[in-house]
Amino acid sequence: MIVRQFTCRGTISSHLCAHLRKPHDSRNMARPSSDLAKFREVFSEAQNIAIITGAGVSAESGVPTFRGAGGYWRKWEAQRLATPEAFSRNPSRVWEFYHHRREVMLTKNPNPAHLVIAECEERLGKQGRTVTVITQNIDELHRRAGTKNLLEIHGSLFKTRCMSCGHEAANYKNPICAALKGKGDRDPDTEDANIPVQQLPRCEETGCHGLLRPAVVWFGETLDSDILTQAEKVLDSCDLCLVVGTSSIVYPAAMFAPQVAARGVPVAEFNMEDTPATMRFKFHFHGPCGTTLPLALARHENEEG
């Protein structure tokens, strides 16, 4: 499966973007269907459903996407801060950036899209059917909504990893260290705090005290092999795939749904706009995910129980 061909996080090239835009069967140039009744028929028969989610889902909860016009924190493009090189050069600045993101997330809540996905997983699970969420988001809103079968392929804002001993742990402290209190304002006129590295978050494992970093997958880093293996199994076995609120430009996730579609499995895209992969899918539903998903995933008249 193509999951194994792209294991590092990055933005797809223009060549790969053009390849994605080309339908798998070039003879079929028809747009994907927006017929909700037809989708509901497919949904009612699906036994193993994979749901791939991206920043668009959380944007409806008020979470900044850090793309487009809102793609800057202070004077820096957010994606340039989400790299191991940026952390190596200036760990204080990167920790200010992630402290800001953590504080923002503590004020946000799951929206109807998160909630209906979790409800659907629970409901279908009682019928012997499976729903697995593969998310690119690091905000844990799926987890807070109640999703259990969850693969967070880019990690979590609320986990840390020690640069010395490698220990990874959940961390919901706010601020995560005293030196970050009151820091992280994204206003472009705000000066860097330049916090000494000794005062940045440190490992609490006995005898370590190493520098902590956010346990997220930065651009250019390899995704966790165990999580990739699990995602590969889900995508290889699903008989329906939903792509929700994702731009389809960050790999390897951008390749997941097109590969599923290539083996003949129905794929339904829920998004505010077309993406490079739209023409490869059977269905496309335009509009806010919090509006379209509850209609699509509501209990079907043919469901048991």
Side-chain angles (χ1 to χ4, degrees), residues 1-10 12-13 16 19 221-223 228 250-256:
M1 167 140 206
I2 206 163
V3 170
R4 287 294 161 192
Q5 297 179 32
F6 295 87
T7 59
C8 290
R9 185 182 181 188
I12 64 175
S13 65
L16 187 53
H19 173 71
E221 290 189 321
T222 302
L223 273 66
L228 269 182
V250 177
Y251 63 78
M255 308 302 297
F256 290 174

Side-chain angles (χ1 to χ4, degrees), residues 69-137:
Y72 282 80
W73 177 82
R74 296 181 184 167
K75 64 183 85 171
W76 293 280
E77 188 177 5
Q79 290 187 30
R80 294 187 179 276
L81 295 174
T83 69
E85 293 80 12
F87 190 74
S88 177
R89 286 193 303 267
N90 196 327
S92 173
R93 178 186 296 157
V94 173
W95 259 119
E96 276 200 87
F97 171 58
Y98 279 94
H99 171 63
H100 166 75
R101 297 184 70 178
R102 285 163 60 98
E103 286 207 316
V104 167
M105 278 315 309
L106 291 173
T107 70
K108 307 303 180 185
N109 294 299
N111 64 57
H114 296 106
L115 296 172
V116 76
I117 288 171
E119 187 277 331
C120 182
E121 177 197 346
E122 181 180 19
R123 188 181 80 239
L124 268 54
K126 295 176 181 177
Q127 303 168 25
R129 303 159 68 189
T130 63
V131 174
T132 304
V133 175
I134 301 171
T135 188
Q136 301 169 76
N137 299 335

Side-chain angles (χ1 to χ4, degrees), residues 48 55 60 69 87 102 115 136 148 158 168-169 186 189 202 205 215 218-219 221 224 231 243 248 259 269 273 289 296:
N48 298 293
E60 293 179 34
F87 190 74
R102 285 163 60 98
L115 296 172
Q136 301 169 76
K148 300 294 192 298
F158 297 100
E168 190 168 308
R186 71 180 295 176
D189 294 328
R202 313 299 296 194
E205 290 295 286
W218 282 326
F219 287 95
E221 290 189 321
D224 183 279
V243 188
S248 292
Q259 185 69 13
E269 184 178 57
E273 57 191 8
C289 304

Side-chain angles (χ1 to χ4, degrees), residues 21-300:
R21 288 188 185 279
K22 183 180 179 181
H24 182 67
D25 183 353
S26 59
R27 296 167 297 179
N28 180 14
M29 297 300 292
R31 276 195 59 80
S33 170
S34 58
D35 189 325
L36 183 60
K38 287 185 178 179
F39 169 80
R40 297 275 293 155
E41 290 177 12
V42 175
F43 168 67
S44 71
E45 297 174 358
Q47 296 299 307
N48 298 293
I49 302 172
I51 303 180
I52 302 167
T53 69
V57 176
S58 294
E60 293 179 34
S61 289
V63 179
T65 62
F66 288 105
R67 295 190 186 281
Y72 282 80
W73 177 82
R74 296 181 184 167
K75 64 183 85 171
W76 293 280
E77 188 177 5
Q79 290 187 30
R80 294 187 179 276
L81 295 174
T83 69
E85 293 80 12
F87 190 74
S88 177
R89 286 193 303 267
N90 196 327
S92 173
R93 178 186 296 157
V94 173
W95 259 119
E96 276 200 87
F97 171 58
Y98 279 94
H99 171 63
H100 166 75
R101 297 184 70 178
R102 285 163 60 98
E103 286 207 316
V104 167
M105 278 315 309
L106 291 173
T107 70
K108 307 303 180 185
N109 294 299
N111 64 57
H114 296 106
L115 296 172
V116 76
I117 288 171
E119 187 277 331
C120 182
E121 177 197 346
E122 181 180 19
R123 188 181 80 239
L124 268 54
K126 295 176 181 177
Q127 303 168 25
R129 303 159 68 189
T130 63
V131 174
T132 304
V133 175
I134 301 171
T135 188
Q136 301 169 76
N137 299 335
I138 61 175
D139 51 43
E140 293 197 0
L141 287 180
H142 281 299
R143 190 179 301 277
R144 287 169 54 191
T147 292
K148 300 294 192 298
N149 295 332
L150 178 63
L151 298 176
E152 295 169 314
I153 64 172
H154 290 161
S156 167
L157 271 176
F158 297 100
K159 290 182 180 177
T160 58
R161 185 184 312 126
C162 178
M163 300 286 288
S164 297
C165 72
H167 179 71
E168 190 168 308
N171 190 316
Y172 295 92
K173 295 177 184 176
N174 186 43
I176 191 170
C177 68
L180 282 167
K181 184 175 182 179
K183 308 300 182 183
D185 191 317
R186 71 180 295 176
D187 187 281
D189 294 328
T190 302
E191 296 290 332
D192 280 0
N194 292 319
I195 300 169
V197 68
Q198 296 84 359
Q199 296 177 28
L200 291 173
R202 313 299 296 194
C203 182
E204 296 181 359
E205 290 295 286
T206 303
C208 184
H209 202 60
L211 176 65
L212 294 179
R213 56 160 283 180
V216 297
V217 179
W218 282 326
F219 287 95
E221 290 189 321
T222 302
L223 273 66
D224 183 279
S225 61
D226 290 339
I227 292 178
L228 269 182
T229 296
Q230 294 177 64
E232 187 174 52
K233 289 179 180 178
V234 170
L235 296 168
D236 283 346
S237 63
C238 71
D239 52 7
L240 174 63
C241 179
L242 279 61
V243 188
V244 185
T246 176
S247 60
S248 292
I249 62 170
V250 177
Y251 63 78
M255 308 302 297
F256 290 174
Q259 185 69 13
V260 171
R263 64 180 180 87
V265 173
V267 176
E269 184 178 57
F270 296 79
N271 214 332
M272 291 294 292
E273 57 191 8
D274 284 4
T275 72
T278 296
M279 294 301 292
R280 289 177 167 253
F281 302 149
K282 185 177 182 67
F283 299 99
H284 175 86
F285 298 100
H286 181 87
C289 304
T291 301
T292 56
L293 264 189
L295 296 173
L297 299 184
R299 179 181 291 274
H300 192 274

